[in-house]
Amino acid sequence: MKNRDAHAFQSAPKEKEAHLRAKSTQAGFTLIEMLVVLVIIGLVMGLVGPRVLNYLSDARTKAARLQIEALSNSLDLFYLDLGRYPTTQEGLTALTRRPPGADVWNGPYVKGSAVPADPWRNAYVYVAPGKHGPYDLSSFGSDGHEGGEGSAADITNWKQ
């Protein structure tokens, strides 16, 4: 009996050690595997990132064009009701609040309680009478200043 107990006592640590060795080789990732994954992610982001940013700036430009078109339609409704466009002093707020002396005002002509800002959170520039028509309506783009190129280019209700 003593031999059998001694044998069982000696074989248990060997089995336990083999089990721990097998378990440690299976758990986790090696440093090289992690570095390879990081390099692949970096390459993908380097190729895809600029395209995503391009789409974002294009989407803002398109949104500004659509808003200018919607505001132009609202200004035309204002004109149909009052026989004139809002003055520069009245501004686009005349589309949401009755200007003084406007007896036939059937507004608000835009949804909400205020005229929306452009996609870059700047106010649209409204001038009446305009240089290019009865009124000029524009957004100065991402830079917020007149002129510019690309996403910083002005977006207007007239052809440039």
Side-chain angles (χ1 to χ4, degrees):
M1 274 269 207
K2 286 185 179 181
N3 273 347
R4 195 166 36 127
D5 290 340
H7 178 66
F9 182 73
Q10 289 175 352
S11 68
K14 288 180 182 178
E15 288 174 13
K16 193 174 187 180
E17 185 180 314
H19 177 69
L20 288 174
R21 224 180 300 126
K23 193 174 183 181
S24 69
T25 59
Q26 295 174 357
F29 298 103
T30 66
L31 180 61
I32 292 176
E33 290 171 331
M34 293 296 287
L35 289 174
V36 167
V37 168
L38 288 174
V39 166
I40 291 171
I41 290 173
L43 288 172
V44 168
M45 290 308 295
L47 295 172
V48 173
R51 287 183 181 238
V52 170
L53 292 176
N54 241 359
Y55 288 132
L56 179 62
S57 68
D58 287 348
R60 286 185 175 176
T61 302
K62 288 177 185 176
R65 281 196 178 106
L66 290 173
Q67 282 182 331
I68 285 177
E69 187 176 321
L71 289 171
S72 293
N73 291 336
S74 297
L75 287 165
D76 290 340
L77 289 173
F78 183 97
Y79 178 82
L80 287 174
D81 287 343
L82 277 80
R84 65 175 181 87
Y85 288 103
T87 64
T88 302
Q89 292 77 23
E90 292 171 338
L92 295 175
T93 57
L95 298 175
T96 58
R97 285 185 230 117
R98 180 188 304 269
D103 299 331
V104 195
W105 188 82
N106 289 320
Y109 298 95
V110 294
K111 289 184 180 180
S113 60
V115 175
D118 70 7
W120 299 276
R121 298 190 178 140
N122 298 317
Y124 285 100
V125 178
Y126 174 77
V127 178
K131 294 179 183 176
H132 307 282
Y135 61 88
D136 290 348
L137 183 60
S138 60
S139 166
F140 290 147
S142 63
D143 64 353
H145 300 290
E146 194 171 358
E149 295 179 5
S151 67
D154 296 348
I155 302 148
T156 63
N157 68 324
W158 67 89
K159 295 190 189 235
Q160 295 181 342

